[in-house]
Amino acid sequence: NAGVTQTPKFRILKIGQSMTLQCTQDMNHNYMYWYRQDPGMGLKLIYYSVGAGITDKGEVPNGYNVSRSTTEDFPLRLELAAPSQTSVYFCASSHIWTGGQETQYFGPGTRLLVL
Amino acid sequence: TQLLEQSPQFLSIQEGENLTVYCNSSSVFSSLQWYRQEPGEGPVLLVTVVTGGEVKKLKRLTFQFGDARKDSSLHITAAQPGDTGLYLCAGDAFNKFYFGSGTKLNVKP
């Protein structure tokens, strides 16, 4: 099992460019999450999904879009990159809602720099 | 503003010392988790506490959930250099999941 994989590991974008951060899990987990972590801060939930075809907003969804066409994949889309989106992005997955004592497994992160 | 406030933000201690990290909120959480994060990696779950007043032990780490389920603490006994990392608390509230800003711990040999 590879667990949760994320690509790319690092990316530099110019203001206004768009990109998709990829996330794949091979644990057959229903729940998937996208977080961002700014320097010196904790993680903030951007979007989450409870299963294929179902997504919902987290704490900081503005400027992002997601889709969940399969159980395994949960890509995060940035349409018009802004310097405020410079951050480290983590994808995570869990079998059930993580608040229900379920372990949430994190990917290694994607470091994004918007200039 | 953070729903969960952690203190201290930074902690640098000598090997063998004890320490406590606090995670506080004015909101009630249905459960609270503690994670440890190494540089360049994602967080790794240490423990989940669910019941008010619950105490869980993981070797030299002791986790406590407040009676009102608004706060939690992590106590490390006889810290080792291998305990160095960023410790994050996270809680389930309002059907969302919130992280604290973290405590960066450095244990010097």
Side-chain angles (χ1 to χ4, degrees), chain A residues 11-22:
Chain A
R11 181 78 182 268
I12 299 174
L13 280 183
K14 293 183 179 178
I15 294 172
Q17 285 186 321
S18 61
M19 78 164 292
T20 298
L21 282 67
Q22 301 292 345

Side-chain angles (χ1 to χ4, degrees), chain B residues 11-80:
Chain B
L11 196 54
S12 184
I13 60 173
Q14 291 294 139
E15 182 177 0
E17 291 184 7
N18 301 331
L19 67 116
T20 302
V21 175
Y22 299 93
C23 177
N24 296 304
S25 178
S26 57
S27 300
V28 176
F29 294 92
S30 54
S31 68
L32 197 139
Q33 297 179 333
W34 284 93
Y35 291 81
R36 181 164 162 265
Q37 185 178 19
E38 304 264 11
E41 297 181 10
V44 176
L45 180 67
L46 295 173
V47 78
T48 301
V49 285
V50 179
T51 308
E54 183 177 2
V55 176
K56 281 192 174 179
K57 292 195 174 186
L58 189 66
K59 296 183 181 178
R60 293 177 292 101
L61 279 60
T62 302
F63 305 85
Q64 184 161 9
F65 201 13
D67 291 341
R69 291 186 288 127
K70 293 182 179 181
D71 52 78
S72 181
S73 64
L74 158 60
H75 182 79
I76 301 179
T77 303
Q80 305 292 314

Side-chain angles (χ1 to χ4, degrees), chain A residues 36-52:
Chain A
R36 58 176 288 173
Q37 185 176 31
D38 299 330
M41 302 292 288
L43 284 73
K44 289 189 183 292
L45 184 63
I46 305 171
Y47 270 96
Y48 67 98
S49 169
V50 304

Side-chain angles (χ1 to χ4, degrees), chain A residues 35 37 40-45 48 56-59 90 97-104 106-108 111, chain B residues 1-2 9 31 33 35 37 40-43 45 48 50 56 86 88 92 95-102:
Chain A
Y35 295 90
Q37 185 176 31
M41 302 292 288
L43 284 73
K44 289 189 183 292
L45 184 63
Y48 67 98
D56 204 352
K57 295 178 181 179
E59 192 181 354
F90 289 99
W97 176 246
T98 192
Q101 302 189 61
E102 179 74 5
T103 298
Q104 189 174 186
F106 284 83
R111 188 176 297 272
Chain B
T1 57
Q2 292 276 139
Q9 280 188 294
S31 68
Q33 297 179 333
Y35 291 81
Q37 185 178 19
E41 297 181 10
L45 180 67
T48 301
V50 179
K56 281 192 174 179
L86 178 68
L88 296 159
D92 180 9
N95 291 320
K96 297 279 194 292
F97 206 60
Y98 299 89
F99 277 81
S101 55

Side-chain angles (χ1 to χ4, degrees), chain A:
Chain A
N1 278 1
V4 180
T5 57
Q6 291 182 239
T7 57
K9 287 187 179 180
F10 178 66
R11 181 78 182 268
I12 299 174
L13 280 183
K14 293 183 179 178
I15 294 172
Q17 285 186 321
S18 61
M19 78 164 292
T20 298
L21 282 67
Q22 301 292 345
C23 175
T24 300
Q25 54 92 7
D26 62 0
M27 296 173 282
N28 202 32
H29 284 167
N30 292 319
Y31 286 76
M32 295 187 76
Y33 316 82
W34 271 107
Y35 295 90
R36 58 176 288 173
Q37 185 176 31
D38 299 330
M41 302 292 288
L43 284 73
K44 289 189 183 292
L45 184 63
I46 305 171
Y47 270 96
Y48 67 98
S49 169
V50 304
I54 306 171
T55 63
D56 204 352
K57 295 178 181 179
E59 192 181 354
V60 290
N62 292 345
Y64 306 95
N65 279 301
V66 293
S67 59
R68 184 97 182 268
S69 56
T70 66
T71 300
E72 296 78 21
D73 300 306
F74 190 40
L76 177 72
R77 178 88 178 154
L78 282 72
E79 290 294 348
L80 290 169
S84 61
Q85 293 178 305
T86 292
S87 189
V88 181
Y89 291 83
F90 289 99
C91 179
S93 73
S94 63
H95 181 55
I96 59 174
W97 176 246
T98 192
Q101 302 189 61
E102 179 74 5
T103 298
Q104 189 174 186
Y105 296 90
F106 284 83
T110 292
R111 188 176 297 272
L112 177 66
L113 180 61
V114 182
L115 299 173

